[in-house]
Amino acid sequence: MLSNRPSLQKKLNSILVKPAGPDCNMGCAYCFYLEKAELFSESRTHRMSENILEEMIKQVMSQGEQQVSFGWQGGEPTLMGIPFFEKVIEFQKSYGSEHSVGNGLQTNGILIEKRWAKFLSTYSFLVGLSLDGPEHIHDRYRMLRNGKGSWSQVVDRAKLLLDSDVEVNALTVLNDYSVKFPEDIYAFLKSIGLNYMQFIPCVEKDPKDPSQTAFFSVSPEKYGEFLCKLFDLWKADFVENVPTTSIRYFDSVFYNYVELPAPDCTLGKSCGVYVVVEYNGNVYSCDFFVEPGWKLGNVMEDKLIFMLNSEHQKKFGQKKAALPRDCKECRWLRYCWGGCTKDRQNNPQEKSMNYLCTSYKMFFSHADAQMSKMAEEWKGQQNLAGKKQMGREPSLTASNKIGRNDPCPCGSGQKYKKCCGKDS
């Protein structure tokens, strides 16, 4: 434990790690992170060393809370290979025997095979699989290095992971093309068993003309229409007032409706609640702000808990809270809190306003009545249970749908995927 440790406002309970830096085995047209290679020009290949890995995990375990989580991202983290992640587990067990540790892996899926699936299942990794929808949507921008589409490979990897009892979420980027197909994307993801979905609006500056958004970015109006339609699809799948699919944004917004801290940092009053560790040990304020101006230090020289609570990180978090008058006077403020800081920075028209402000106003106008009703019902259930303090987290993720790994309803005793769902 740290000696002479001051009172620290922010607790270290999660960390985002990029063990292969910006390196990736794909060439997605909309990726914002590939250009980060310019920050690490000392080498063409970027891989976290065992010494840095050990020091980072040791710090998290000694400075962190009882429950800690590691998010492994990139670039593409599977480029590190299974032996690297076996070391991850070894160090976590060695330094965190008294902790509850969670691991999440965000991947494009290309390198996933049976050994990977077994490893991820054995150690209970939560996998976020990048999959943008049906083939014509996914392959629009998610291309392999050779220019060919990646859809068929990724879908095969999704089925392999699910068949191996790995928990998998779909990470779907919404761009100028995919935003036109909410019904198709939602139905497709459900059809292959990906009932936990996260939709990420793509908002990037045009590298040739920073006064404009990149051509693949979503428009505020189209994204607003997408959210409204997706909400209707999500609600239509409720069974006895319980969702059968999980949409991360809707789940997180619901927290704000029941006056609890939203798990999505974009929906909080301020941000800067976690840090990002790059392959070389450099620590940054946020995934979207891995840049020299927001470098906090290095794990080989500084303490993670102090960097998280540094004045520089505090200044970063306050950027989100510095809202314009239009936001402060908006009726929806307490539900969105201005959205993500990077979507204000990437707004070519007005940097103090979120580029997607119109989207959120459209969504809340559309969904508010039903969200409010669900929130009141949830609060009533808490009171009936004698938990007026609302100690339980709001549950919007229960599922009554037959999953691929659920017992088959025919009574055979086999899993659904091995029985009546064999051909689905």
Side-chain angles (χ1 to χ4, degrees), residues 149-322:
S150 61
W151 181 81
S152 60
Q153 293 185 52
V154 178
V155 171
D156 285 345
R157 304 316 190 267
K159 293 177 180 178
L160 170 62
L161 289 168
L162 291 170
D163 286 346
S164 302
D165 295 326
V166 178
E167 291 188 61
V168 187
N169 293 351
L171 301 179
T172 301
V173 175
L174 297 176
N175 51 65
D176 66 313
Y177 183 71
S178 62
V179 77
K180 303 173 185 177
F181 303 99
E183 297 96 337
D184 294 358
I185 296 173
Y186 182 72
F188 170 74
L189 294 177
K190 286 199 306 175
S191 73
I192 62 172
L194 295 176
N195 294 321
Y196 290 81
M197 312 172 194
Q198 181 176 352
F199 295 93
I200 306 163
C202 183
V203 181
E204 298 295 331
K205 291 180 181 178
D206 186 336
K208 297 180 179 179
D209 183 4
S211 67
Q212 301 292 325
T213 53
F215 69 91
F216 46 72
S217 297
V218 293
S219 75
E221 293 76 15
K222 289 296 183 182
Y223 181 51
E225 292 172 4
F226 184 96
L227 286 176
C228 293
K229 183 60 182 178
L230 184 66
F231 182 80
D232 292 343
L233 294 167
W234 177 67
K235 279 288 294 174
D237 277 345
F238 275 37
V239 175
E240 296 180 356
N241 287 330
V242 176
T244 58
T245 58
S246 170
I247 309 295
R248 179 173 169 80
Y249 181 71
F250 300 158
D251 294 345
S252 294
V253 165
F254 186 73
Y255 275 72
N256 281 345
Y257 269 85
V258 296
E259 302 172 54
L260 289 174
D264 188 332
C265 60
T266 69
L267 296 172
K269 292 182 181 180
S270 62
C271 56
V273 296
Y274 73 96
V275 293
V276 177
V277 181
E278 260 290 352
Y279 83 99
N280 59 1
N282 284 351
V283 179
Y284 296 88
S285 294
C286 171
D287 182 27
F288 293 110
F289 290 85
V290 174
E291 52 194 53
W294 294 110
K295 180 184 173 184
L296 303 174
N298 187 287
V299 294
M300 303 304 287
E301 303 168 358
D302 308 287
K303 301 293 186 185
L304 283 168
I305 189 68
F306 293 155
M307 288 185 276
L308 177 64
N309 284 275
S310 66
E311 285 300 313
H312 203 47
Q313 183 69 344
K314 182 179 179 181
K315 181 181 178 182
F316 174 78
Q318 290 172 338
K319 283 168 61 72
K320 187 180 193 309

Side-chain angles (χ1 to χ4, degrees), residues 19-37:
D23 295 1
C24 189
N25 53 348
M26 288 183 60
C28 304
Y30 54 53
C31 181
F32 75 95
Y33 212 77
L34 290 177
E35 65 183 34
K36 300 298 181 181

Side-chain angles (χ1 to χ4, degrees), residues 255 258-261 378-379 381-383 385-395:
Y255 275 72
V258 296
E259 302 172 54
L260 289 174
W378 183 83
K379 291 177 182 178
Q381 291 169 0
Q382 300 304 294
N383 291 334
K387 297 184 177 182
K388 296 184 180 180
Q389 298 298 319
M390 291 192 291
R392 275 174 42 201
E393 293 185 346
S395 176

